Amino acid sequence: MEQVLTLVCKLNPTPSQSEKLEVVLHAFAAACNYTNEVIKPQITSKTTIQNVVYEDLRSKFGLAANLAVRACARVGANRLVAKRAGKPVKAFKPTSADYDARIFAFREKDWTISLTTLEGREHIKIDAGNYQRGKLKGRKPTSAQLCKHRDGKYYIHIQLKDEIPDPQPIKKVIGVDFGRRDIALTSNGDSWSGKQLTETRDRYSTARASLQKKASTRTRSSRRRCRQVLARLSGRERRFQSWVNHNISKTIIQQAKSEKALVAIEDLTGIRERTNQKPRNKTERRRSNSWAFYQLRMFLEYKGLKDGVEVVAVPPAYTSQTCHQCLHIGLRSDKKFKCGNCGLSCDADWNGAKMIAALGTSVNSPRGSNGLYCNLSTDSSGLLKAHTVFGTPNQCG
Ligand SMILES: [Zn+2]
């Protein structure tokens, strides 16, 4: 299997190089718009598109051979995406152009990239920090995207393709419960308290509310200052959250790797419904309707893939109410879980994590001994998803 990492580096073009980049971006967008106009709307195949307009793109827009090929591919790809979303293809803007191995290269000895423009090849210095240097060292990337960001500067998005290790043989399953009280709790018993995070977020939220009020009522200059502070706050809050999520996911994946475990998480497409089951106040709703859980899932998947740890999403429907020992529906109060069938009484979130692990185990052995069946599919992001049908212990003994 392969994993692609996109590395963004700022370019340091000379003024004359900037002009050439600008020309490329405009020609590329114009070529895409032209292609989109002349090719019948239902056609998405890059080869078919190329057969019709390739010569035109070369002569009308002055594109180098492989830039013309990339423009055809871009139109085909955008049409596919638009078709899936049931929307028309958006007009192409002069903000990005695609490059492949024939027209793009990275040179480590002087930290430059070379790009084919409409007037030949240009070597452009890149701003590479330690992170970028570490990732690019010894690499020969073969595809990239030239981009102009909203700051008006030019960037190169370099695709680094890595062979990823085959998933390791699985000896156990670690279930991870994303909760309200704890950000995450594993069936191993590790938990990350949401307390500090919640406090930080609440503090930012209060500050935000007051600033937003000021931003709409005060004088013009103070309104502007309020908006600036707001933008800064949102960045800081986001970075803090990301840092927390990075640490949680890193710890879980490392643990799974050393224990040869599969990581089972809840299918988060349902988390809003679940944590919002009971009517809640505004504060609680804001806490649960966040991108934070989504980001944590993405981090887990990404790091899992890199380290050969399998991550699987299980349906959350019953995890909070089902007893992990006997699979009967029990009683859940806010913190406690009680099972009327087998008498289990424990922390509700921990039972949830154990239940997720049990579901994960049934993924690992579809006719597993724990009486759970699973059908598997892969979602759009490539995450393995389990659709569980509760079996009875009698049926599958
Ligand atoms: Zn029970």
Side-chain angles (χ1 to χ4, degrees), residues 323-328 337 339-344:
C323 167
H324 79 270
Q325 278 186 8
C326 68
L327 304 182
H328 280 74
F337 179 85
C339 174
N341 186 52
C342 70
L344 174 77

Side-chain angles (χ1 to χ4, degrees), residues 64-115:
N66 278 57
L67 274 171
V69 172
R70 291 325 329 154
C72 296
R74 170 77 76 91
V75 174
N78 281 22
R79 282 184 168 189
L80 268 182
V81 171
K83 199 164 137 188
R84 281 201 201 109
K87 287 176 185 160
V89 178
K90 278 194 208 147
F92 295 85
K93 290 188 197 142
T95 49
S96 74
D98 301 329
Y99 277 81
D100 60 28
R102 296 277 178 89
I103 44 182
F104 157 81
F106 160 68
R107 197 162 69 186
E108 195 181 323
K109 72 170 191 219
D110 56 356
W111 297 97
T112 59
I113 52 145
S114 74
L115 294 175

Side-chain angles (χ1 to χ4, degrees), residues 14 67 74 89 142 148 157 168-169 182 219 238 298 300 312 341 362 385 391:
T14 64
L67 274 171
R74 170 77 76 91
V89 178
T142 54
K148 189 180 183 181
H157 295 202
Q168 55 185 3
D182 292 311
T219 63
R238 204 177 53 237
M298 298 312 276
L300 280 169
V312 62
N341 186 52
S362 68
K385 274 191 177 189

